Amino acid sequence: MPQLRLDRFLSGQLPEVSRSDAKELLKKGLVTVDGVTVKRYDHKLDPEKAVVAVSGNVITYREHLYIMLNKPSGVVCAVRDRVTPTVMELLPPKMRRQGLFPAGRLDKDSVGFVLLTDDGELAHRMLSPNSHVPKEYFVRLEKPVTEDVAELFRAGMTIDGGEKCLPAELEICEHNIECFVTLHEGKFHQIKRMFDATDNTVLYLRRIRIGGVILDDSLEEGEARLLEENEIKGLLCYD
Ligand code: URA
């Protein structure tokens, strides 16, 4: 692992700590590396091996952040937007880090699981047209849906403009106006367009799963938490 400067390590791992705050902490003698107080900001360390603590609290090194956000309606999946609030603005300060972005999009009026990360390689793998990471949605419709539609989804539908979709799963539930849909790709407004093509309308759409990771139902809309190690593996095991 390349060596990292201590002030960079601190400001990179502790989002509420700027580079100058880091230098202050060091000057005050509050930082230890492998149990020894270090005051020099340009002290070099191997972030994978060194045990760094601030005021006795050990910092767990994370090369990348993976965040599960329960997106509410009315915010956009973008890093910044001039008019509409973005998913980034919902993050508590301690989760903010340079380079974070939403890996995949939900429409402004859709809700549910959005993955935020600064791991460009993972995002690229998940977003590439060849990636078939399954994403599952809970959908409420205007009109009842029938098994014929499930068959159309299974066969791979053609939607407006002649776009061919990969086979998708549709599981019908409550009064036939609620269902679960699993997609293996992510075309623009895909689920809405698939139901439009069957003369139905999506009234409510919530993403509940990405790959092997299920949206945590203890997260209120607008709340976020870091993914656990086993959940990160649940994202990486798909191609
Ligand atoms: N399909 C849609 O139509 N909208 C979304 O936000 C996600 C999938």
Side-chain angles (χ1 to χ4, degrees), residues 23-77:
K23 287 187 176 131
E24 274 305 301
L25 292 172
L26 288 157
K27 250 196 243 160
K28 288 183 183 154
L30 296 174
V31 181
T32 56
V33 177
D34 297 327
V36 178
T37 301
V38 177
K39 292 193 170 182
R40 288 185 50 179
Y41 69 89
D42 59 353
H43 178 89
K44 294 266 182 16
L45 51 83
D46 177 342
E48 301 257 315
K49 295 201 181 119
V51 179
V52 181
V54 177
S55 304
N57 299 311
V58 173
I59 301 169
T60 308
Y61 176 67
R62 288 175 190 270
E63 186 182 2
H64 294 299
L65 281 189
Y66 304 91
I67 297 169
M68 173 191 291
L69 170 77
N70 188 2
K71 176 191 167 314
S73 179
V75 298
V76 290
C77 288

Side-chain angles (χ1 to χ4, degrees), residues 30-152:
L30 296 174
V31 181
T32 56
V33 177
D34 297 327
V36 178
T37 301
V38 177
K39 292 193 170 182
R40 288 185 50 179
Y41 69 89
D42 59 353
H43 178 89
K44 294 266 182 16
L45 51 83
D46 177 342
E48 301 257 315
K49 295 201 181 119
V51 179
V52 181
V54 177
S55 304
N57 299 311
V58 173
I59 301 169
T60 308
Y61 176 67
R62 288 175 190 270
E63 186 182 2
H64 294 299
L65 281 189
Y66 304 91
I67 297 169
M68 173 191 291
L69 170 77
N70 188 2
K71 176 191 167 314
S73 179
V75 298
V76 290
C77 288
V79 174
R80 62 186 74 80
D81 191 282
R82 287 215 195 131
V83 275
T84 315
T86 71
V87 285
M88 309 307 289
E89 292 162 41
L90 295 170
L91 290 182
K94 67 176 174 15
M95 279 188 207
R96 294 191 186 168
R97 193 194 262 191
Q98 197 85 39
L100 274 179
F101 61 95
R105 280 164 194 268
L106 281 179
D107 298 338
K108 185 175 163 187
D109 60 349
S110 300
V111 300
F113 190 173
V114 174
L115 174 72
L116 301 165
T117 185
D118 56 354
D119 182 346
E121 201 180 315
L122 172 104
H124 176 75
R125 273 173 54 190
M126 285 188 42
L127 301 176
S128 102
N130 297 326
S131 151
H132 303 308
V133 178
K135 300 193 185 79
E136 188 173 351
Y137 301 81
F138 170 77
V139 185
R140 191 169 302 122
L141 295 159
E142 188 181 52
K143 294 183 232 163
V145 62
T146 58
E147 277 304 325
D148 314 354
V149 174
E151 189 43 51
L152 283 175

Side-chain angles (χ1 to χ4, degrees), residues 105-110 137 183 187-193 205 207:
R105 280 164 194 268
L106 281 179
D107 298 338
K108 185 175 163 187
D109 60 349
S110 300
Y137 301 81
L183 298 182
K187 297 188 194 300
F188 185 62
H189 294 330
Q190 185 165 348
I191 294 183
K192 290 175 185 160
R193 289 161 71 209
L205 186 62
R207 182 151 68 201

Side-chain angles (χ1 to χ4, degrees), residues 142-201:
E142 188 181 52
K143 294 183 232 163
V145 62
T146 58
E147 277 304 325
D148 314 354
V149 174
E151 189 43 51
L152 283 175
F153 275 37
R154 251 194 306 278
M157 288 183 76
T158 302
I159 47 179
D160 53 355
E163 259 182 281
K164 177 87 181 140
C165 300
L166 289 176
E169 291 103 65
L170 167 60
E171 188 194 322
I172 303 172
C173 43
E174 249 350 79
H175 310 303
N176 300 339
I177 56 156
E178 290 182 354
C179 58
F180 293 96
V181 174
T182 304
L183 298 182
H184 300 267
E185 60 187 339
K187 297 188 194 300
F188 185 62
H189 294 330
Q190 185 165 348
I191 294 183
K192 290 175 185 160
R193 289 161 71 209
M194 287 167 85
F195 280 108
D196 279 351
T198 69
D199 199 26
N200 208 338
T201 305

